[in-house]
Amino acid sequence: MKEKTPCEFTTKGTKSNDSISKPMAGEENFSLKQLIHSFRTFDWKNLWDLFLIKFCLGFSILLYRSNFSLTMSEKFDMSPSSIGNLTSYSGTIAALSGFLVGRISKLFKSDAQIVLCMAAFQTLALFSLSFVNDIQLYVICFTPLSLFSTMLRVAATSLTIQRCGGKNVGGIMGMSQSVMSLARMLSPFISGVIMEVSVSGTALFGSFASSVAVIIMIFRSQEPKIYSEKKVQ
């Protein structure tokens, strides 16, 4: 008697071919048409400023950190070990700042206020770093920058969810990450071009990018209540 191969065995009286289930209605393959349609459903009229703010704030800090080691080496003639210690110090401050986000956020009325204040502080910090020539004073101005950037990441994410009103949250968060990816792509190139002109130019240009975000938030309030009232009207 001929033995059956594993592919020829059946389960509960059904043929092996029937064991491969067909995709259900919600399990279709990727559709470019559906992707384009999902982008059209975004409320671009009320969200464009939020995406631009996140780009400017992220781009400013990435621009400053892209060639941080080269900046320290050229400006203060620091050794690789000293640069490594300063980088580790920055990471430690950023990690400790994460434990303070909850307490600091209680001092503000909303996430929009946190983003505005932290963006203003980040602008001042980057502006001061561009003109400081003493390493000790530089470290003092450099220390709160990690706190500001940590607070901005948390508050901006929360504000994005509030601004979208619970609709297309996944798509809007994905678009927000794409905006940050664009900033990560552009910052090393632009940082290198700026450093050909001035070693301190990255911090100065970063402060300018942050100031653009601050100006937008001053003229266009990011409070979710304002945009929800506009939709109701």
Side-chain angles (χ1 to χ4, degrees), residues 53 57 60 113-126 148 152 207 210-211 213-215 217:
I53 288 169
L57 293 176
S60 63
Q113 283 189 354
I114 297 176
V115 175
L116 177 59
C117 292
M118 293 300 129
F121 291 149
Q122 180 173 291
T123 301
L124 293 175
L126 290 173
F148 301 151
L152 278 172
S207 65
S210 293
S211 65
V214 173
I215 293 172
M217 284 186 282

Side-chain angles (χ1 to χ4, degrees), residues 13 21 24 27 30 57 75-76 78 96 104 109-110 114-115 121 129-130 132 134 160 164 166 181 200 207 218-219 229:
S21 59
M24 302 299 290
E27 299 179 351
F30 172 78
L57 293 176
K75 191 171 185 178
F76 299 107
M78 294 180 66
L96 294 177
I104 297 176
K109 295 181 180 179
S110 63
I114 297 176
V115 175
F121 291 149
L129 287 172
S130 62
V132 171
D134 181 68
T160 302
C164 66
S181 297
S200 303
S207 65
I218 291 174
F219 288 97
E229 290 175 357

